[in-house]
Amino acid sequence: MTTVLPTPVPPATGAPARELSDRWGRVADDLRISLIDKCNLRCTYCMPAEGMTWLKKDALLTADEAVRIADIGVRVFGVRDVRFTGGEPLVRRDLADIIAGFRSLHPDVPVSLTTNGINLDKRVDELVAAGLTRVNVSLDTVDREVFARVTRRDRLPQVIRGLAAAKAAGLDPVKVNAVLMRGVNDTGAADLLAWCLERGYQLRFIEQMPLDADHNWARRNLVSGAEVRGRLSERFDLTPDPAPRGSAPAQLWEVREKTTAGQDAPVLGKVGVIASVTESFCASCSRTRVTADGRVRSCLFSRQETDLLSVMRSGASDREIAEVWAGAMRLKPRAYGSDGVTLDDPGYVQPERTMSAIGG
Ligand code: SAM
Ligand code: SF4
C-alpha cells in the first residue's frame, strides 16, 4: 500500500512557509498536476493491458481545485512553471477551463501540457486560446506496427496529426518524449530523431523507470542514456548544448549531420536525454507533484503521499493548505525512494501507483 502520511508538522518557527524547501536544501518551483488517471492508450511501460481501477469522478480534482492548487503554488511558493499531465489530460473536457482559470490569475507563468497527442489536433486551438504555452507529446516510434505494440492501440496517425497541429498553432518548442525499450523500439532511435528534426520537434529520450503496472522493469533491459547517445552518434554528430542545464532533467545535445567536417556542419536541432536512472538528477530536482486525487508527491519514486484534497475540501484556508503542502515537501527523500535506495537495489520497492496514476 502507498503510505498516506499524516499531516506533517509545520516548521518550528511557526512562520508561514514561503517556498517548498526540503531537508536537503532543494527548493521545488516546478509544479506538475495530474488531472486524470484515465488514458486512451495502454503503453506497456506505464499501464496494464486491462484491469486498471479508475479514480471515481468525485475523487478527482475539480477544475476549480486544480486552479486553486496551481494558484497557491505560484502565489505562496513562487512556482515558476505549471504542467498539467495525467493519465491523459486531453481526456478532461474542462482542460481549457483549467488552463484559462489559472492564466487569468497568473498570465506570466507558463503552462504546459504532457499528452499522448490523441485529439490534440481538435483541441489545440482552444487550449492555446486558453493560454497554453508549451506542449510535450509522447511518441516512441513512427513505425505504425511498433507504435501499436508499445501502446496496445493502433493510433499513430492521430498522434502525428496532433503534433502537426501543435506546431501549426504556434506552440514553440514542440517537444516529443520517447521511451526506448530493448528489442522493441531501441533500434529506431536515430530514425525517430531524423523524423523529429525534419519537422522541427525537439526530441527527448527518457530512460524507462520502474513505474509500470506490470512490474516488468529490469535494470538489465534498460536502454541507458549512454546507449541512446551511442546509437544516435552512429548517424549524427552530437555535441553538448552550450546553454547551462540548470535543474532541467534533460541533458541537451546539439545535433549535426555526420560529415568529415564534423562540428562545422550546421546545427540541425537539439536532442535531449533524460537519464533518470543511470545519471540521476535527484540533487537538483525542483519538482513538486500533485496527483489527480489531490495528493502531494515530493518524489516520483516515493511511496509516501500527503492528502491535500481532503484538507482543501474540509474548508481549509489557502494558508492552511500551503502549510500541509510545505510539510509534505520537507519530507522529500534525498534521492529516489524514501530511503534513498537506488532503483536497481534489491531493497527498492516500486510505488503502488503506476506512472499514469502519479502523473509523469
Ligand atoms: N499520457 C500523457 C503522455 O503519455 O504524455 C501524460 C502522462 S505520461 C505518464 C507522462 C510521460 O511519462 C510520458 O512522456 C511517458 O512516456 C512517460 N512515462 C510513462 N511511464 C514511464 C516509465 N515507466 N518510464 C519513463 N517514462 C515513462
Ligand atoms: Fe497513457 Fe501516457 Fe501512460 Fe501511455 S504513458 S499509457 S499515453 S498515461
Side-chain angles (χ1 to χ4, degrees):
M1 282 283 290
T2 301
T3 319
V4 178
L5 286 180
T7 304
V9 184
T13 62
R18 289 174 187 279
E19 58 183 17
L20 292 169
S21 54
D22 65 31
R23 297 163 296 163
W24 312 100
R26 295 167 298 192
V27 175
D29 60 4
D30 182 349
L31 170 60
R32 302 196 173 185
I33 302 181
S34 174
L35 296 175
I36 192 160
D37 55 334
K38 286 187 180 157
C39 185
N40 39 21
L41 297 182
R42 291 289 180 279
C43 304
T44 52
Y45 48 75
C46 179
M47 283 182 131
E50 50 198 34
M52 279 294 275
T53 310
W54 308 119
L55 291 168
K56 294 209 167 63
K57 192 155 186 269
D58 62 2
L60 291 176
L61 293 170
T62 64
D64 287 348
E65 287 164 345
V67 170
R68 187 173 177 198
I69 288 174
D71 173 46
I72 293 172
V74 171
R75 201 164 30 80
V76 180
F77 296 127
V79 159
R80 291 187 302 156
D81 223 312
V82 176
R83 173 173 297 273
F84 293 114
T85 180
E88 177 44 51
L90 286 174
V91 170
R92 285 270 308 228
R93 294 213 187 94
D94 54 2
L95 179 58
D97 298 337
I98 296 171
I99 293 170
F102 173 75
R103 292 281 280 185
S104 68
L105 300 173
H106 301 287
D108 298 331
V109 177
V111 173
S112 50
L113 192 67
T114 302
T115 169
N116 63 28
I118 291 174
N119 293 326
L120 186 59
D121 54 335
K122 300 186 188 102
R123 307 273 302 274
V124 72
D125 290 337
E126 170 203 21
L127 299 177
V128 169
L132 180 69
T133 35
R134 284 197 304 264
V135 72
N136 288 28
V137 177
S138 301
L139 176 64
D140 306 315
T141 174
V142 283
D143 179 310
R144 189 163 175 169
E145 186 271 321
V146 178
F147 181 93
R149 199 142 49 99
V150 172
T151 65
R152 302 183 176 110
R153 301 285 186 273
D154 179 20
R155 296 185 122 181
L156 176 65
Q158 285 155 273
V159 180
I160 290 177
R161 281 204 299 275
L163 270 165
K167 183 100 185 149
L171 291 174
D172 185 35
V174 172
K175 293 186 183 173
V176 171
N177 291 354
V179 175
L180 293 183
M181 280 164 294
R182 191 170 303 289
V184 180
N185 63 340
D186 53 336
T187 53
D191 288 342
L192 184 58
L193 176 56
W195 188 90
C196 288
L197 289 170
E198 271 169 34
R199 289 158 183 81
Y201 308 144
Q202 191 188 106
L203 176 61
R204 298 131 38 97
F205 290 98
I206 308 175
E207 281 183 352
Q208 187 182 350
M209 295 175 269
L211 294 168
D212 57 315
D214 297 333
H215 290 229
N216 278 335
W217 187 91
R219 178 69 171 79
R220 64 181 179 283
N221 291 333
L222 182 76
V223 182
S224 68
E227 191 177 337
V228 173
R229 292 193 292 270
R231 284 192 180 277
L232 299 179
S233 298
E234 289 166 12
R235 181 133 144 220
F236 299 99
D237 269 324
L238 301 187
T239 48
D241 183 37
R245 179 172 171 186
S247 62
Q251 188 177 11
L252 289 180
W253 302 79
E254 287 184 337
V255 185
R256 292 176 171 83
E257 211 61 79
K258 223 175 181 34
T259 64
T260 44
Q263 294 190 13
D264 293 327
V267 176
L268 301 172
K270 292 181 185 181
V271 66
V273 178
I274 304 181
S276 341
V277 179
T278 61
E279 297 164 49
S280 130
F281 36 82
C282 297
S284 61
C285 178
S286 60
R287 242 78 58 211
T288 179
R289 291 186 157 80
V290 179
T291 62
D293 53 349
R295 291 173 181 203
V296 176
R297 286 185 73 100
S298 59
C299 170
L300 256 185
F301 301 102
S302 174
R303 292 167 54 77
Q304 297 174 338
E305 298 178 342
T306 301
D307 187 351
L308 211 57
L309 185 57
S310 298
V311 176
M312 194 179 266
R313 288 185 180 174
S314 72
S317 67
D318 284 2
R319 180 174 164 176
E320 288 163 338
I321 294 165
E323 282 309 303
V324 174
W325 191 349
M329 290 304 293
R330 267 193 297 282
L331 300 179
K332 180 169 171 131
R334 188 176 194 175
Y336 288 143
S338 49
D339 307 324
V341 292
T342 60
L343 299 180
D344 44 1
D345 188 313
Y348 172 74
V349 183
Q350 189 172 330
E352 192 173 299
R353 289 201 203 231
T354 61
M355 189 67 144
S356 63
I358 297 170

